[in-house]
Amino acid sequence: MTTAITRAIVTGHTRGLGAALAEQLLARDIAVLALSRSRNAALAERYPQTLEEIELDLADPARVAQWIAGDALRRFVDGAQSVLLFNNAGMVQPIGPIETQDAGAIAAAVGLNVATPLMLASAIAAASVTASDRRIAHISSGAARNAYPGWSIYCATKAALDHHARAVALDANRALRICSVAPGVVDTNMQAEIRGSDKEQFPLREKFEDLKRNGQLTSPEQCATQLIDFVLSDAFGQAPVADIRELAQRS
């Protein structure tokens, strides 16, 4: 897949995997429209011509819908032959048994982890009129496929992305490919947040502490390289759900 007239949308680009994705796409001369609550000053300084940033609370579906109703997305993808969407932004909170979960925190998690990715996916499918190749990558998790105590909201929201990709794939839109990709365990702020959670809230905390202690976490940069290579490959979209670790083992 050529990247000369390819443009990408990345959510949550200010740190961790999102920052690595945005940086590597820009380094490959792919213009990026980045959506987050704040800006990435370092990336903006390095790529002033090809990075466009939008400050947007992605956990607020009403604000996201209002932004989508405008023309910023349409203008960005106009003229592109290929459009990529990396639905990366997500949150692990609220962590804990169901009776401890705050209603507002649940609403924010569902907004950020589910509503916004699904709205952006639909918007990309509709807005990129000239693009003959549209690729949507939901950044999922092993938690979508395996239940963990204390993670009922995170597990449920990530599973929603997996099933969304499965259903969209059945639409058989030849100009659109979609895959919900588990990136493995990546050394991000989310991992630090998990390790800092109360053991009563998350009984498996020690498992994640061991992964960090034993150097078993993938760096955001390494994961971003694998994800971008996969999304740009002919294999992307052949299956609606994938795991980066399994793909790496096959190659």
Side-chain angles (χ1 to χ4, degrees):
M1 176 182 172
T2 60
T3 59
I5 317 178
T6 299
R7 290 171 194 160
I9 297 90
V10 179
T11 64
H13 74 296
T14 57
R15 60 185 186 180
L17 179 57
L21 284 168
E23 181 174 13
Q24 292 191 29
L25 288 163
L26 291 162
R28 299 186 191 208
D29 295 323
I30 297 176
V32 171
L33 175 64
L35 312 177
S36 187
R37 285 181 300 177
S38 57
R39 296 175 180 265
N40 189 323
L43 276 185
E45 184 177 356
R46 291 175 58 195
Y47 299 99
Q49 302 301 319
T50 50
L51 174 65
E52 181 178 344
E53 296 181 282
I54 302 292
E55 291 185 77
L56 186 63
D57 184 358
L58 299 174
D60 186 338
R63 291 189 181 182
V64 175
Q66 184 179 36
W67 178 78
I68 289 173
D71 64 352
L73 181 61
R74 181 190 55 77
R75 284 189 288 101
F76 178 75
V77 301
D78 186 42
Q81 293 179 345
S82 299
V83 176
L84 317 176
L85 169 61
F86 291 86
N87 276 319
N88 164 75
M91 62 190 298
V92 70
Q93 295 290 351
I95 297 175
I98 187 170
E99 67 272 14
T100 69
Q101 295 166 1
D102 175 75
I106 294 172
V110 173
L112 180 60
N113 293 0
V114 183
T116 287
L118 270 54
M119 286 191 291
L120 290 174
S122 176
I124 286 298
S128 49
V129 178
T130 63
S132 58
D133 185 20
R134 309 166 199 183
R135 304 188 179 206
I136 298 167
H138 292 325
I139 306 304
S140 183
S141 168
R145 299 143 207 187
N146 300 283
Y148 294 104
W151 276 12
S152 57
I153 302 303
Y154 188 64
C155 289
T157 55
K158 289 301 184 179
L161 294 183
D162 282 9
H163 220 45
H164 177 260
R166 292 185 184 104
V168 170
L170 295 177
D171 291 341
N173 183 334
R174 285 181 291 179
L176 186 146
R177 304 186 191 194
I178 188 169
C179 185
S180 190
V181 191
V185 188
V186 187
D187 196 2
T188 62
N189 285 356
M190 182 181 288
Q191 281 297 311
E193 188 177 355
I194 291 167
R195 294 192 301 272
S197 61
D198 191 295
K199 191 173 180 180
E200 292 182 0
Q201 292 179 304
F202 184 51
L204 298 181
R205 187 191 69 190
E206 289 183 4
K207 172 185 175 181
F208 289 85
E209 290 175 337
D210 288 341
L211 290 172
K212 175 68 172 178
R213 188 181 303 113
N214 298 328
Q216 294 176 280
L217 300 180
T218 304
S219 72
E221 293 74 22
Q222 180 184 358
C223 183
T225 299
Q226 293 174 319
L227 282 168
I228 294 170
D229 286 346
F230 175 50
V231 171
L232 294 176
S233 74
D234 291 337
F236 183 78
Q238 291 179 3
V241 174
D243 190 306
I244 279 293
R245 291 164 294 188
E246 295 174 0
L247 294 170
Q249 291 172 359
R250 294 176 200 161
S251 60

